[in-house]
């Protein structure tokens, strides 16, 4: 008897949000959300979460270490809307107010393997010096109304931002049955251990 073809392919990612390098930030916590296309269904894991607050390490690297675990399994029939990890980092300003330190977004790797990703952070800039001063005084710097905005393509080209450091993420990715749907993940042509740096 012929074996039935699968009705979807599966992408599984495990790992951790390890740490962040944010200049001038002594303590912070991170909120994350996963975004994916309409055809993607989360089978297992959390689509959003929040880390504990971390203080900057005393070593020479000055890292904010979270080591927050990630464990996600998705299924879909097409690659459109490939899952993205969206992060928002919050910390305290000089007056002890909770303010945004940076946003970032990265697609999950499309090939099976082990990855160390460097997710660049950015934050919106005020439109003028006066707005920047008023934002500092009120403790409400410019921020996005939707924390998933970094994962959207539309509207980003007109957004003024500044660099705000980086988050280090370690992921192990497995895929299943992608070839049945006409996708090649390249895992048979590469070693099991891949290291990628996002520039």
């Amino acid at each position: 008897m012929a074996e039935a073809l699968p009705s979807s392919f599966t992408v599984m990612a495990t790992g951790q949000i390890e740490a962040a390098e944010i200049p001038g930030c002594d303590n912070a916590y991170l909120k994350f959300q996963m975004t994916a296309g309409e055809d993607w269904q989360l089978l297992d894991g959390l689509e959003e979460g929040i880390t504990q607050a971390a203080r900057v390490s005393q070593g020479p690297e000055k890292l904010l270490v979270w080591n927050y675990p990630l464990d996600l399994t998705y299924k879909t029939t097409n690659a459109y809307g490939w899952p993205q990890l969206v992060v928002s980092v919050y910390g305290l300003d000089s007056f002890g107010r909770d303010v945004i330190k940076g946003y970032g977004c990265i697609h999950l790797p499309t090939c099976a393997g082990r990855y160390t990703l460097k997710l660049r952070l950015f934050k919106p800039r005020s439109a003028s010096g006066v707005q920047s001063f008023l934002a500092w005084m009120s403790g409400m710097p410019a921020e996005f109304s939707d924390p998933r905005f970094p994962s959207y393509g539309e509207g980003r080209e007109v957004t003024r931002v500044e660099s705000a450091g980086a988050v280090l993420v370690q992921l192990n990715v497995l895929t299943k049955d992608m070839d049945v749907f006409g996708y090649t993940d390249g895992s048979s042509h590469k070693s099991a251990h891949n290291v990628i740096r996002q520039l």
Side-chain angles (χ1 to χ4, degrees):
M1 180 174 207
E3 188 176 322
L5 292 175
S7 61
S8 62
F9 67 85
T10 306
V11 176
M12 182 176 142
T14 62
Q16 61 185 350
I17 299 170
E18 291 183 344
E21 299 175 78
I22 303 174
C25 182
D26 292 335
N27 57 55
Y29 64 93
L30 179 143
K31 292 181 181 179
F32 77 90
Q33 292 182 321
M34 297 299 299
T35 62
E38 293 178 10
D39 292 339
W40 290 79
Q41 179 184 356
L42 182 68
L43 297 177
D44 191 31
L46 299 174
E47 279 191 300
E48 58 185 48
I50 185 169
T51 68
Q52 76 279 7
R55 294 187 65 78
V56 72
S57 62
Q58 298 301 312
E61 293 180 341
K62 303 292 184 195
L63 293 175
L64 294 154
V65 179
W66 294 299
N67 291 328
Y68 189 86
L70 295 173
D71 189 357
L72 304 154
T73 304
Y74 283 98
K75 77 172 185 176
T76 188
T77 56
N78 70 60
Y80 180 77
W82 195 269
Q84 298 180 66
L85 172 65
V86 183
V87 302
S88 306
V89 180
Y90 293 87
L92 300 177
D93 67 6
S94 55
F95 296 106
R97 299 174 296 202
D98 208 24
V99 296
I100 188 70
K101 295 296 182 179
Y103 296 96
C105 179
I106 194 168
H107 283 90
L108 293 183
T110 57
C111 298
R114 181 181 173 93
Y115 297 86
T116 300
L117 306 170
K118 190 170 189 177
L119 196 158
R120 301 287 180 181
L121 295 177
F122 57 90
K123 60 184 176 181
R125 294 179 62 181
S126 296
S128 70
V130 173
Q131 284 182 338
S132 181
F133 177 73
L134 291 173
W136 178 78
M137 288 296 292
S138 65
M140 296 173 54
E143 62 181 89
F144 299 131
S145 58
D146 182 357
R148 292 177 298 194
F149 179 77
S151 69
Y152 305 151
E154 189 175 329
R156 285 190 53 189
E157 70 278 0
V158 295
T159 307
R160 293 171 37 128
V161 297
E162 62 186 61
S163 180
V167 171
L168 304 174
V169 179
Q170 182 272 317
L171 288 174
N172 303 302
V173 177
L174 296 172
T175 61
K176 181 181 176 203
D177 298 326
M178 285 181 68
D179 57 336
V180 174
F181 291 85
Y183 299 107
T184 304
D185 73 357
S187 60
S188 61
H189 304 293
K190 295 183 179 182
S191 66
H193 182 76
N194 297 307
V195 177
I196 290 183
R197 297 278 183 201
Q198 179 167 335
L199 301 177

